[in-house]
Amino acid sequence: MTTIGYVQVEPRFGEVATNLDAMRSLAAQAANADLLVFPELASCGYEFVDHAEAQEHGESASDGPTVALAHELAAAHNLTVVIGYPERDGDKVYNACALATPDGHQINYRKLHLFDREKERFDRADNPPPVVETPAGRVGLMICYDWYFPELARVLALNGAQIIAQPANLVLDKCQRAMFARSVE
Ligand code: ACM
């Protein structure tokens, strides 16, 4: 059996170090989980005004502070961690999430379906949604509004996902119920 922890956070916009400390404390309370999922853009907040501001707060997928925390928590608590963060890559910035396993493996996913004004803040991604073999099972990744498009969950299922980890910042009233539908499908 896999125990999944969902960590709800209330980030202070742009205060990454403070937010990461809060996430570290919350994770310690859920350390019995096998898989721990944090929200979309958990470490810095969601409401960027434009692309320049998102880029200013963007972090490297290889050694940024949020990815470092994912690895730290995965190793410290022997669990798999998924965290949403703004990923900067050159002059691009993506609404991304990182999955880290206890043995130091990392997979990155960039949100494919940008919601509403996210299209002004983030660059469009073209990566396929990944399915990752982890000690918690085969985990597929999507981010928030990706739920709206059944094809994405279907691709994850066809590629062997047993669990879909979905860092989210849900704003539409039907999202929570829709994810039940995606799971049943
Ligand atoms: C959303 O994709 N954050 C609604």
Side-chain angles (χ1 to χ4, degrees):
M1 194 178 71
T2 297
T3 303
I4 302 174
Y6 311 87
V7 185
Q8 188 64 275
V9 300
E10 194 175 1
R12 293 192 194 176
F13 186 79
E15 297 185 28
V16 173
T18 304
N19 298 331
L20 293 179
D21 275 346
M23 291 161 70
R24 192 177 279 112
S25 307
L26 289 165
Q29 295 172 39
N32 63 327
D34 301 301
L35 170 65
L36 210 50
V37 184
F38 288 81
E40 177 182 22
L41 299 171
S43 55
C44 63
Y46 179 80
E47 283 291 345
F48 297 104
V49 290
D50 56 20
H51 187 272
E53 191 180 53
Q55 207 187 29
E56 183 191 322
H57 290 91
E59 302 177 18
S60 156
S62 53
D63 59 3
T66 303
V67 167
L69 181 79
H71 284 291
E72 176 194 316
L73 297 179
H77 303 304
N78 191 31
L79 42 71
T80 297
V81 181
V82 181
I83 305 182
Y85 72 106
E87 180 204 346
R88 189 173 56 219
D89 184 5
D91 60 357
K92 308 255 194 243
V93 61
Y94 300 97
N95 184 339
C97 68
L99 177 151
T101 60
D103 63 359
H105 189 56
Q106 181 187 328
I107 291 285
N108 202 59
Y109 167 66
R110 297 167 173 171
K111 184 176 186 176
L112 283 170
H113 302 96
L114 297 175
F115 178 71
D116 196 42
R117 292 199 52 220
E118 289 177 24
K119 298 185 193 75
E120 300 160 20
R121 301 164 182 164
F122 296 102
D123 288 284
R124 285 174 192 277
D126 62 0
N127 54 169
V131 176
V132 195
E133 194 75 56
T134 78
R138 284 191 303 278
V139 179
L141 297 177
M142 67 162 69
I143 299 177
C144 203
Y145 190 54
D146 283 332
W147 68 264
Y148 202 91
F149 304 89
E151 292 80 4
L152 197 138
R154 177 169 160 76
V155 165
L156 292 174
L158 289 173
N159 288 336
Q162 297 166 308
I163 299 166
I164 294 177
Q166 182 207 23
N169 190 347
L170 297 172
V171 296
L172 300 176
D173 58 359
K174 34 185 164 332
C175 334
Q176 284 85 355
R177 279 173 293 144
M179 276 313 287
F180 282 109
R182 290 292 90 82
S183 303
V184 171
E185 290 158 4

